[in-house]
Amino acid sequence: MDISRTSDVWWKNAIFYCLDVETFQDGNGDGVGDFVGLTRRLDHLDRLGVSCIWLMPFYPSPNQDDGYDITDYYAIDPRLGTMGEFVEFLRAANDRGMRVIADLVVNHTSREHPWFQSSRSDPSSPYRDWYVWRDEKPEEDASSLVFPGEEESSWTWDAKAGKYYLHRFYSHQPDLNVEHGAVRDEIRRIVGFWLQLGLSGFRVDAVPFLLEQMSTDDKGFAPHRWLRDLRAFINRRSGDAVLLGEVNLDYPDVRRFFGDEDGDELHMCLDFNLNQAMALAIARGDSGPLVHGLRHMPELAEDDGWAHFLRNHDEWSLDKLTEAERQEVFAVFGPDPEMQLFGRGLRRRMPTMLGGDEARLRMAYALMASMPGAPVIFYGEEIGMAENLEIPGRLAVRAPMQWENAPNGGFSSASADQLHRPVVSDPKYAPAKVNAADQQDDAGSFFHFMERLLRRRRECPEISFGRHSVLPMTEAEVFAIRHDWDDRTLIAIVNLGAEARTVTCALPDGAALGKPRPILGDGEVSLKKGQLTVELEGYGLRWIRFEG
Ligand code: NOJ
């Protein structure tokens, strides 16, 4: 693929930034973030090098699952603003060269959605078949529960309907029945609506559940054909729109959601497999899990890509690790049971898990940004924000953004008790210590490092467009990956260990690659007789560019 095509498939080399409007910036002093506030903060994202903002759900919702329970797919939650303010925000983001995608949550609605209310109330309602109803409670395997300890079953009795309904998530989130043609038509209308307003695509929530086929009688619904149709539809409406899927399955199963060889289903998937390999590798200070993970990463079609992240808005799910590995990560990153969730994950952010060690934190983000795919940053990661464990469950990592050393961290002018969610209170990580304004003024800050990292990452399309190969290293603590594309080569080397070291790796074609030019990190680099030698500090990192 040559460089002129990279902008057509912009998603492959994008810098994604996930945020929740509700906790980003309050523009009217009511304690809840909104689109007016977010619009005022766009320059921060622009400066960071963000090229695509991913908005968590902003639709009307009773907010029993932080907006992932929707009551109207064609509107804005009035607490967050008006449709006019949304469009202003979109325009201002586009004006700065940033695209916007949004969560598409159509596996389920809120129980309060008028469709569900009609469906349960009247057997002859046109919405009756929009949900999955059963007279008898189907048998189920406890291991299939998404929220063990919080939900006992994926089927709940509805007295009004006199039937059980399916909900893969909370009982207040009944699953839509995509096998019903009218539901699929409605989903098209929803995506068409937001594309028309200017979104550049969607982060598709819970894709495997969305495509799940529940009926025994074959009504001609073929889940993957439908996903293919959906991609074709959005790209007819908007040639550059992207579907970024949440598919937390093992690699071979995730691969199926990209479509067959032509890759005509999801354009991208969040890479949960490599994410969990990173957790184990960082916890152990050992590159082994990454080498193993990359060996199993399936090949994708040319236009498709992976999206890599360290932490996201949910618990750090470690469900793909073995029980022993998971316990190992728990012991290092979250030994206290109150830091753990559902027996499979951690409700913490990176800085606290890494004991506040900034060198290690930089290493972790450089490692993530070196993986073949596009990086995804969760708001606050760029300033090293911590979690607030006083906020229940997964919401601990969704505290308000810390903008300055001011009341409520500059998030809102409301009184602290009016805030939608409390700010981080741990004095080591509270806004007085960790905030965007101070770090923007300090060239040695973590924010400056992240800005440099992400700017560099944008300049290195070989990471997402090229072929990658893991470079064998004699030291288990050192991870090295090579990306080759279009006459360019980039080598990223990361020291997962605390000890400084000088490492050497064989580059038999080194002479032909051209002069090595270090573009990230510190320490000597030399190439002699097919041997690349690199000095690394403890938790050091280097990106080396060769332009043949
Ligand atoms: C995945 C989202 O990331 C999570 O926050 C949400 O609770 C479920 N899907 C249900 O929508």
Side-chain angles (χ1 to χ4, degrees):
M1 182 180 294
D2 66 73
I3 198 139
S4 63
R5 281 207 58 211
T6 57
S7 51
D8 287 345
V9 278
W10 61 269
W11 51 87
K12 289 189 61 143
N13 203 46
I15 308 292
F16 290 94
Y17 186 97
C18 168
L19 66 87
D20 190 353
V21 179
E22 210 171 37
T23 50
F24 204 60
Q25 176 67 63
D26 175 9
N28 62 2
D30 65 354
V32 182
D34 48 43
F35 279 104
V36 169
L38 167 58
T39 309
R40 284 194 210 132
R41 293 298 188 182
L42 281 173
D43 288 328
H44 169 82
L45 304 184
D46 188 22
R47 177 166 170 185
L48 191 60
V50 170
S51 57
C52 182
I53 300 169
W54 152 17
L55 297 177
M56 287 167 65
F58 52 79
Y59 318 95
S61 160
N63 260 305
Q64 289 178 281
D65 183 17
D66 201 23
Y68 284 89
D69 47 329
I70 296 170
T71 48
D72 183 354
Y73 288 91
Y74 298 97
I76 308 280
D77 180 337
R79 297 171 315 132
L80 310 190
T82 63
M83 195 62 93
E85 287 160 356
F86 169 79
V87 171
E88 291 271 287
F89 148 72
L90 207 53
R91 181 172 158 72
N94 292 164
D95 183 45
R96 286 160 178 76
M98 288 183 275
R99 297 169 190 270
V100 181
I101 64 170
D103 251 294
L104 176 68
V105 189
V106 287
N107 169 67
H108 49 268
T109 67
S110 159
R111 184 162 47 194
E112 308 302 319
H113 197 295
W115 301 336
F116 185 72
Q117 290 306 317
S118 171
S119 180
R120 67 192 282 251
S121 312
D122 176 4
S124 60
S125 158
Y127 295 104
R128 185 63 157 203
D129 290 338
W130 282 43
Y131 295 86
V132 184
W133 296 104
R134 292 288 183 272
D135 293 329
E136 306 289 333
K137 189 168 173 195
E139 287 200 3
E140 57 189 326
D141 176 358
S143 69
S144 69
L145 290 180
V146 175
F147 298 129
E150 293 196 21
E151 290 289 344
E152 280 167 13
S153 167
S154 299
W155 296 91
T156 289
W157 173 253
D158 184 80
K160 218 168 197 176
K163 288 174 187 291
Y164 291 89
Y165 64 90
L166 173 70
H167 55 88
R168 285 298 174 196
F169 295 95
Y170 291 107
S171 58
H172 58 73
Q173 291 165 314
D175 277 28
L176 280 164
N177 175 17
V178 288
E179 291 177 55
H180 187 56
V183 171
R184 299 199 295 276
D185 290 347
E186 191 70 36
I187 292 174
R188 276 185 185 225
R189 261 191 296 279
I190 294 166
V191 298
F193 176 83
W194 292 103
L195 291 177
Q196 199 69 30
L197 282 179
L199 284 190
S200 295
F202 305 90
R203 177 267 188 187
V204 192
D205 192 61
V207 183
F209 289 135
L210 173 63
L211 261 66
E212 193 177 24
Q213 205 162 0
M214 297 303 295
S215 68
T216 40
D217 56 332
D218 181 8
K219 292 184 207 140
F221 173 67
H224 286 276
R225 191 175 64 213
W226 174 57
L227 193 54
R228 209 156 48 232
D229 287 351
L230 193 64
R231 173 165 172 169
F233 171 77
I234 74 155
N235 286 141
R236 280 198 302 280
R237 290 285 174 98
S238 171
D240 66 347
V242 65
L243 293 175
L244 162 63
E246 183 201 23
V247 185
N248 183 7
L249 298 175
D250 290 341
Y251 269 142
D253 297 323
V254 186
R255 179 63 187 82
R256 289 175 26 238
F257 290 83
F258 283 104
D260 52 24
E261 276 150 47
D262 298 337
D264 49 6
E265 295 183 28
L266 296 172
H267 301 79
M268 299 194 87
C269 283
L270 291 154
D271 191 343
F272 288 89
N273 287 277
L274 210 56
N275 173 263
Q276 300 188 26
M278 282 193 277
L280 189 59
I282 297 169
R284 281 184 181 165
D286 174 4
S287 61
L290 293 168
V291 178
H292 178 83
L294 284 161
R295 197 175 295 140
H296 290 87
M297 178 186 255
E299 286 241 0
L300 303 181
E302 216 180 11
D303 287 355
D304 296 346
W306 297 103
H308 299 298
F309 58 102
L310 271 182
R311 286 295 291 109
N312 67 7
H313 58 287
D314 289 328
E315 75 281 4
W316 196 353
S317 178
L318 303 168
D319 62 337
K320 309 231 139 10
L321 304 183
T322 64
E323 186 53 34
E325 290 168 340
R326 192 166 31 253
Q327 292 308 328
E328 210 182 318
V329 179
F330 279 177
V332 181
F333 289 160
D336 191 334
E338 74 148 356
M339 298 167 174
Q340 303 165 10
L341 206 60
F342 306 131
R344 64 167 180 244
L346 291 162
R347 51 189 211 104
R348 305 190 80 191
R349 282 179 176 254
M350 291 308 294
T352 48
M353 289 191 285
L354 299 183
D357 185 334
E358 197 173 308
R360 204 171 174 203
L361 194 60
R362 291 177 188 215
M363 176 279 288
Y365 283 94
L367 183 69
M368 186 270 280
S370 308
M371 296 301 163
V376 185
I377 303 294
F378 180 49
Y379 78 89
E381 288 194 298
E382 73 275 27
I383 55 167
M385 227 177 99
E387 70 282 354
N388 182 351
L389 288 176
E390 287 159 19
I391 308 175
R394 296 178 296 166
L395 303 181
V397 300
R398 305 185 201 173
M401 176 68 182
Q402 298 174 189
W403 292 107
E404 48 199 298
N405 180 7
N408 305 325
F411 161 70
S412 171
S413 58
S415 61
D417 58 357
Q418 260 190 298
L419 291 194
H420 171 65
R421 215 167 271 153
V423 293
V424 168
S425 52
D426 178 343
K428 260 178 83 186
Y429 295 98
K433 274 279 165 57
V434 175
N435 70 72
D438 288 353
Q439 293 193 31
Q440 280 170 358
D441 291 343
D442 172 3
S445 68
F446 186 66
F447 176 83
H448 272 254
F449 167 76
M450 289 296 277
E451 185 186 1
R452 212 157 52 240
L453 173 70
L454 298 176
R455 292 270 161 200
R456 278 300 191 208
R457 178 61 196 77
R458 281 177 75 146
E459 294 162 7
C460 296
E462 55 268 51
I463 297 182
S464 34
F465 286 98
R467 270 176 303 104
H468 69 268
S469 45
V470 174
L471 298 178
M473 305 297 292
T474 40
E475 300 83 349
E477 295 87 346
V478 179
F479 172 75
I481 187 165
R482 170 175 170 166
H483 302 277
D484 290 285
W485 177 71
D486 203 31
D487 283 349
R488 297 166 175 221
T489 295
L490 181 107
I491 292 180
I493 305 193
V494 174
N495 181 3
L496 294 148
E499 311 232 319
R501 61 190 90 228
T502 299
V503 296
T504 302
C505 67
L507 272 190
D509 60 345
L513 291 178
K515 199 170 163 330
R517 189 164 68 88
I519 59 169
L520 192 74
D522 302 309
E524 283 295 311
V525 172
S526 66
L527 178 65
K528 276 188 208 123
K529 295 189 183 146
Q531 294 282 322
L532 180 71
T533 304
V534 180
E535 267 182 22
L536 291 167
E537 295 164 351
Y539 301 125
L541 54 107
R542 301 260 43 195
W543 282 7
I544 304 151
R545 183 42 109 36
F546 301 79
E547 278 163 7

